[in-house]
Amino acid sequence: MKQAMPVNEQQLGPNLTFYDLHPPATDMLEEVTRSLTAPRPHLHPKYFYDEAGSRLFDAITTTEEYYPTRTEAALLARYSSEIQAQLGHANTIAEPGAGSCQKVRLLLERWSPERYMPLEISRDCLLQSTRQLSRDFPEVQIDAVCADYCQALSLPADNLPGGRVVFFPGSTIGNFDPAERSAFLRGLHHLAGPGGALLIGADLQKEASRLNAAYNDAQGLTAAFNLNALHHLNNALDCQFDVNNMRHVAFYNETAQRIEMHLECLCDQQLHLGHHQITLKGGTRIHTENSYKFTVEGFTRELMDAGFRPRGCWTDSDDLFSLHLASTD
């Protein structure tokens, strides 16, 4: 795999090659300070995901209230052959933000691609997951690419293996605001390349009570996950959040058609950010995540606006979740 950008290449096994594009380091202190001192304080959702946060999210996906993960898994299991029939043979599956590479296993088993290309910013996570995957699927060439989204979506298409199916599951697309989402979908179109395709999950609009329950589970796991962002920042930056005096707030904003997650200060919070101290007044809400919900028709239009040609859409019997297949030409 030749790249137009600096890259370190390592052969880690007979079917595993690791490409390190050296994702740019973020100045965490500067970013968090800027976010928390903005007119509307906010935090990037990536701060949910330290080791504890990843465990909490895995637990959330098994709760009765949180339907997206199991619904999407059932759709993939039921319709993977039909999707493959629409595609023809998939030479390469590329997965931006691959994480633990768990969801792609079903496609590797059933589609038998020649190559799998996971793209992930966390070097340790990528190495751990792909080493195991290479042992479990010795017939699949795995090209693991350590890169951030911007790097991944600007990889030179003519230097990547042909026939790429970009796999973007999990309704992660809903975390992007509309303008960001449009740009990201265009980036996925570039990554798929000529003759390529996109298989993507999108959570559908439904009654507010169902959505509110999914993000306010009875076990309090989503609340703990949201609050864990503050524990993460305390550990990394010694911000001195009084986490016991913060509360999880999640609700469906029907006007914006999105779930919003916030952390609300129950009293004044005195924060330490490097050499600076800031005060968040009681009642202040820190916006931590959006999760947009779609209609099949609306999301199909977004795919078309990004240059894709719709090839199929699969939903469950309750119309909770959708899988969309679209080609680049």
Side-chain angles (χ1 to χ4, degrees), residues 56-124:
L56 282 165
F57 183 73
D58 287 343
I60 288 167
T61 64
T62 67
T63 62
E64 180 180 354
E65 298 95 335
Y66 193 80
Y67 58 85
T69 302
R70 63 176 176 269
T71 306
E72 182 182 52
L75 288 171
L76 284 169
R78 182 174 182 180
Y79 295 113
S80 61
S81 296
E82 187 176 329
I83 295 169
Q84 185 182 27
Q86 288 276 359
L87 282 169
H89 179 62
N91 294 326
T92 299
I93 297 175
E95 185 179 8
S100 62
C101 303
Q102 288 302 308
K103 292 182 179 181
V104 77
R105 284 175 170 269
L106 182 140
L107 300 184
L108 297 179
E109 290 168 0
R110 298 192 180 183
W111 292 4
S112 301
E114 297 163 12
R115 189 181 303 265
Y116 170 56
M117 187 172 70
L119 303 113
E120 170 61 41
I121 194 170
S122 171
R123 187 174 288 99
D124 291 343

Side-chain angles (χ1 to χ4, degrees), residues 212-288:
N212 286 325
Y215 292 83
N216 293 280
D217 60 277
Q219 296 179 60
L221 292 171
T222 308
F225 176 67
N226 198 7
L227 289 162
N228 185 69
L230 305 184
H231 289 296
H232 183 189
L233 295 182
N234 280 348
N235 291 334
L237 300 176
D238 193 25
C239 295
Q240 299 182 29
F241 273 105
D242 180 1
V243 182
N244 291 329
N245 278 305
M246 302 288 294
R247 76 177 182 106
H248 163 74
V249 177
F251 57 89
Y252 184 55
N253 181 330
E254 297 204 32
T255 301
Q257 297 175 339
R258 70 189 188 193
I259 283 283
E260 295 183 13
M261 293 218 309
H262 301 257
L263 291 166
E264 184 176 302
C265 302
L266 299 180
C267 62
D268 292 358
Q269 292 272 343
Q270 306 295 328
L271 305 182
H272 297 257
L273 295 164
H275 298 297
H276 304 284
Q277 293 191 15
I278 68 170
T279 300
L280 294 179
K281 294 291 187 181
T284 299
R285 287 185 176 180
I286 303 169
H287 195 162
T288 53

Side-chain angles (χ1 to χ4, degrees), residues 158-176:
D158 56 350
N159 287 339
L160 296 173
R164 290 177 302 286
V165 179
V166 175
F167 182 48
F168 198 65
S171 73
T172 306
I173 193 65
N175 296 141
F176 293 86

